[in-house]
Amino acid sequence: MTVDRLTRVPGLLYGGDWNPEQWPEQVWAEDVKLMAEAGVNLVTVGVFSWARLQPDSHRRDFGWLDRLLDLLQRHGIAADLATATASPPAWLVRAHPELLPVTADGVRLEFGSRQHYCPSSTAYRAAAVRLTRMLAERYRDHPALALWHIHNEYGDHVQECFCPASAAHFRRWLRERHGTIGELNRSWGTACWSQGYGSFEQIEPPRTAPGPVNPTQLLDWRRFCSDALLALHRAEKAVLDEVSPGVPVTTNFMSMLKALDYWEWSRHEDLVSDDAYPDPADPRAHVNAAMTYDLMRSLKGGRPWLLMEQAPSAVSWRPVNLPKRPGLHRLWSLQALARGADGILHFQWRASSAGAEKFHSAMLPHRGTASRGWQETVRLGAELRRLGELAGSRLHGRTAVLLDWDSWWALELDDHPSARMRWLDLLRPWYAALYERGVTVDFVPPGADLDDYRLVLAPNLYLLDTATADRLTAHVRAGGHLVCGPFSGIADRHDHIHPGGHPGPLRELLGVVVDEHWPIPDGTSTAVTLGGATGAAPGAAPGAGAGDRELRAEHWSEWIETEGAETLARYASGALAGLPAVTRRRYGTGSAWYLSCHLGTGIGRVLDLPLAEAGVGAELPGLPPDVEATRRHAADGTRYLFLLNHGPAERRVPLDAPGTDLLTGTAVATAATLAPLGAAVIRIPAAEERP
Ligand code: GLA
């Protein structure tokens, strides 16, 4: 079941994790009263309640949760009820010490924190499924129940385990994937370094070894670890689907997490939800947050998603934890809505007085209702009520970014030409360039249908199968535009080099061949001149000076030769001086671009060319600096234009249609004025055509 909305809660969702087991019941009464005051309509309960629900192997205590859910119901607040399985209780751990996870060095991690379980432990899994069933059977018809919340942040603290049970599970997984040991040997390339296996029984997880471990073994291990956690999730999901059909189920994702293939995971979610903790100390945090939110929206093809957790102010787990200055939390919350979220939830409702997270901010801070934080909580709740009508509306980009976890994992394996080629480092400047140009981006998996997109960006496709390459080629032939970043088309799904020269299956489409990789040493850079060694860049703004054509390649460059592509930029210093750096090949009725280097923040000046060629522009032309603009579309044709000012100066934004700012209730005609950290959400009726 995939859902667009929680049918039991109208409008936008607002609330947070509530951990009532940390408080005497008298406090609950005050909690629900204050929740109502703040406009909270959904709280996540039970995330860390296992020890309270099952105090020992044969006792259960659900009475408190009965009372809690009844209390919520009486106050009109819905529950996102957790299955409570993220932290197994001490009695279970002591009865089954083998369920504790083991590191690659053989250290068994102790009880005393959270997420202390081996993903392949049968004892853990059986107990988790049992608890899920008890909760589902007891609460499936409870009127407060709006959403099931499986576990909590899979992969947060423990992403892999190297114990004997994991090893056995890995072997079973390998047998299923490869069929025979001969196939596995071929896939892993075990002829190298005398690693051949005679049987699956001889295989172990990639524990700490004397030197580099077989890369395909490591790649299969990454795949296995994502699958092993997903199997746990699916076991709980199956129980909920069976016992409590009709109630949607989610688990909270962790933004751009390398460990879990969220394309695969999201197929098993009814609703995507995410935990996002942009750092108030990072002046570019909102750009990375936008990128994450675009991914969350894209995971279910543009359906609304839920911001399940964010900090109302400071977190407690960075070395230095800055609070959010006044207005920042509101702005960042609106940003999630601007990028397709239908709800804003937090960690957590009431600040803890004990335990590891007592210095984490909360919707209700330690100081109580006199605090600045509480004022912001109440204000945000009121504003979300004013924005309720936009629930269910959607936004889509015309530009797609290809994201493939398999390729991400393979790219970052050891013993490559440079350890600096990290997926997020490659992706971020591309995304930032589009963000700064006001272009809305969707993420797509390698198998996606690309028909909706005029422009497809692939900052890196180290691992690329021929089916994906064929799809990209067909897209360009039919008039699409593709921009492909360096070190792409290198390996097949076994991490074997494609024969015949890089970029392998993209060589013909891109019209280039890579002769050799030339990583650039840290702290140095290579000059790149747009427009080749001479002449202006095609599509460069009239009057663009030579300075606008000078870019710097960092960390990576390639010796490439063209085979049908034209050269748009050349290396201008170093060993590759004079050789092509950026190329374009006209192919069919589209074009395919290749960037052979990492251009850091200069990438925007290159991307301007394919953007222009593809006819992809800003969501709202003429945006002043620091202002983010997105547009959500309702089924009836109403549009909601979000304008967010992330900068310290007031900004005036020219509008392309008149409307009403839902935050203030005032009409806006030709321009909106945004205070520093200010925002507007402008409803534009269907009848108002863009000029
Ligand atoms: C994660 C967890 C929460 C809490 C927060 C603190 O998101 O899911 O339980 O620990 O971090 O920021």
Side-chain angles (χ1 to χ4, degrees):
M1 166 174 74
T2 291
V3 296
D4 276 4
R5 308 274 295 269
L6 299 190
T7 44
R8 295 193 182 181
V9 193
L12 297 173
L13 305 166
Y14 187 51
D17 276 31
W18 184 25
N19 292 308
E21 59 276 298
Q22 295 181 13
W23 300 96
E25 293 196 20
Q26 308 84 280
V27 177
W28 301 358
E30 190 196 22
D31 278 326
V32 287
K33 193 178 117 292
L34 291 175
M35 284 175 193
E37 192 179 320
V40 165
N41 55 14
L42 183 72
V43 286
T44 302
V45 287
V47 172
F48 295 109
S49 301
W50 196 340
R52 181 79 187 261
L53 292 166
Q54 285 188 285
D56 57 42
S57 60
H58 45 274
R59 269 193 309 141
R60 296 176 196 177
D61 180 5
F62 285 77
W64 67 275
L65 190 51
D66 296 350
R67 293 192 292 283
L68 187 88
L69 291 175
D70 292 349
L71 184 67
L72 286 173
Q73 169 62 11
R74 283 200 300 282
H75 287 79
I77 299 162
D80 166 35
L81 182 55
T83 56
T85 52
S87 247
W91 60 262
L92 182 64
V93 171
R94 295 306 173 224
H96 294 280
E98 79 284 359
L99 71 69
L100 289 170
V102 174
T103 66
D105 293 338
V107 175
R108 198 174 276 281
L109 300 177
E110 232 327 333
F111 181 85
S113 177
R114 62 177 176 181
Q115 286 208 345
H116 38 265
Y117 62 87
C118 156
S120 301
S121 157
T122 46
Y124 166 73
R125 181 180 170 134
V129 166
R130 225 171 13 249
L131 177 61
T132 302
R133 184 170 290 277
M134 285 191 273
L135 285 162
E137 284 173 349
R138 191 170 187 103
Y139 298 116
R140 63 185 163 198
D141 296 321
H142 198 287
L145 176 65
L147 179 66
W148 285 107
H149 180 113
I150 293 186
H151 197 274
N152 192 63
E153 290 193 341
Y154 283 99
D156 178 10
H157 303 294
V158 173
Q159 302 180 340
E160 54 188 1
C161 171
F162 296 80
C163 76
S166 296
H169 189 188
F170 185 41
R171 283 180 213 115
R172 288 197 300 279
W173 184 93
L174 289 170
R175 199 186 285 273
E176 214 164 281
R177 183 176 178 85
H178 297 285
T180 65
I181 198 67
E183 262 316 304
L184 178 136
N185 279 317
R186 258 187 298 285
S187 169
W188 287 16
T190 53
C192 176
W193 290 0
S194 186
Q195 290 173 350
Y197 293 98
S199 71
F200 284 95
E201 284 62 44
Q202 294 172 355
I203 298 174
E204 293 292 334
R207 299 200 181 92
T208 306
V213 171
N214 180 300
T216 314
Q217 180 183 5
L218 288 170
L219 179 57
D220 268 352
W221 179 250
R222 292 262 70 81
R223 292 166 171 150
F224 162 74
C225 290
S226 179
D227 282 359
L229 284 169
L230 180 57
L232 283 180
H233 174 267
R234 291 184 65 186
E236 291 193 29
K237 175 83 163 54
V239 171
L240 296 174
D241 285 349
E242 176 208 325
V243 180
S244 178
V247 179
V249 182
T250 193
T251 189
N252 43 347
F253 287 166
M254 294 183 66
S255 300
M256 284 241 175
L257 182 71
K258 178 179 168 185
L260 305 184
D261 178 351
Y262 281 152
W263 292 121
E264 182 55 28
W265 276 70
S266 57
R267 295 200 307 115
H268 304 281
E269 302 301 293
D270 298 336
L271 179 73
V272 166
S273 64
D274 187 46
D275 298 351
Y277 289 93
D279 185 356
D282 174 4
R284 306 281 296 161
H286 58 286
V287 181
N288 288 331
M291 185 170 85
T292 292
Y293 301 160
D294 285 348
L295 172 65
M296 291 303 143
R297 182 186 71 249
S298 302
L299 287 174
K300 282 268 185 203
R303 285 198 160 75
W305 57 283
L306 182 54
L307 182 59
M308 182 62 86
E309 286 183 29
Q310 61 169 345
S313 189
V315 298
S316 53
W317 39 262
R318 293 192 173 103
V320 177
N321 299 297
L322 261 64
K324 293 179 177 170
R325 60 191 186 281
L328 191 63
H329 181 55
R330 171 202 188 228
L331 182 69
W332 285 2
S333 300
L334 293 174
Q335 187 190 26
L337 300 181
R339 293 189 178 269
D342 264 5
I344 301 295
L345 280 79
H346 302 81
F347 183 86
Q348 61 177 330
W349 161 253
R350 179 184 280 274
S352 299
S353 63
E357 299 191 290
K358 58 184 175 296
F359 289 112
H360 198 289
S361 62
M363 297 174 78
L364 179 59
H366 291 137
R367 189 183 166 199
T369 54
S371 59
R372 170 179 81 88
W374 174 252
Q375 305 310 322
E376 294 217 15
T377 296
V378 172
R379 179 170 168 212
L380 182 59
E383 289 200 313
L384 294 185
R385 279 199 297 281
R386 265 177 249 143
L387 299 178
E389 66 178 72
L390 62 88
S393 59
R394 298 187 182 195
L395 71 156
H396 271 297
R398 305 289 287 154
T399 300
V401 174
L402 265 174
L403 165 52
D404 179 7
W405 260 268
D406 240 18
S407 185
W408 183 353
W409 293 329
L411 171 72
E412 298 186 4
L413 292 171
D414 296 337
D415 301 292
H416 279 194
S418 167
R420 299 285 171 265
M421 296 294 271
R422 317 294 293 178
W423 163 249
L424 286 177
D425 294 343
L426 293 170
L427 168 65
R428 280 194 182 117
W430 291 57
Y431 184 87
L434 293 157
Y435 176 92
E436 274 148 20
R437 283 155 181 75
V439 174
T440 304
V441 165
D442 289 348
F443 284 87
V444 292
D449 178 354
L450 300 172
D451 287 354
D452 279 351
Y453 301 103
R454 287 188 221 142
L455 180 61
V456 176
L457 305 178
N460 176 267
L461 279 176
Y462 166 84
L463 188 153
L464 179 67
D465 59 28
T466 47
T468 305
D470 290 348
R471 208 169 289 117
L472 293 172
T473 304
H475 181 66
V476 174
R477 191 182 295 117
H481 302 273
L482 168 73
V483 189
C484 189
F487 204 36
S488 287
I490 304 294
D492 67 11
R493 66 193 177 89
H494 305 291
D495 196 25
H496 294 195
I497 301 289
H498 284 294
H502 317 307
L506 290 177
R507 183 170 163 180
E508 194 208 317
L509 172 64
L510 297 170
V512 296
V513 62
V514 179
D515 185 72
E516 213 170 3
H517 301 125
W518 285 72
I520 299 171
D522 290 352
T524 67
S525 63
T526 299
V528 171
T529 306
L530 259 177
T534 57
D548 295 322
R549 298 192 285 115
E550 296 305 324
L551 304 173
R552 305 299 304 184
E554 293 164 355
H555 302 303
W556 188 264
S557 60
E558 292 170 359
W559 179 308
I560 62 171
E561 291 165 16
T562 55
E563 301 176 326
E566 49 189 314
T567 299
L568 302 182
R570 290 183 189 277
Y571 294 105
S573 67
L576 306 188
L579 288 177
V582 177
T583 63
R584 171 182 59 198
R585 181 173 202 192
R586 306 257 182 229
Y587 194 89
T589 49
S591 62
W593 307 63
Y594 185 58
L595 276 61
S596 67
C597 50
H598 184 45
L599 288 169
T601 53
I603 182 89
R605 271 186 280 152
V606 173
L607 292 181
D608 281 337
L609 308 175
L611 280 168
E613 203 159 307
V616 175
E619 186 58 48
L620 186 69
L623 270 188
D626 298 327
V627 176
E628 176 176 342
T630 65
R631 219 183 293 258
R632 291 180 65 153
H633 299 255
D636 67 0
T638 307
R639 284 161 283 150
Y640 298 96
L641 175 68
F642 280 77
L643 299 174
L644 310 169
N645 180 8
H646 295 280
E650 184 179 284
R651 297 290 181 195
R652 200 172 151 74
V653 186
L655 301 177
D656 59 359
T660 306
D661 181 356
L662 296 178
L663 293 172
T664 58
T666 56
V668 278
T670 55
T673 301
L674 305 176
L677 302 187
V681 182
I682 301 171
R683 181 215 287 130
I684 303 166
E688 294 291 350
E689 288 302 322
R690 289 197 210 192

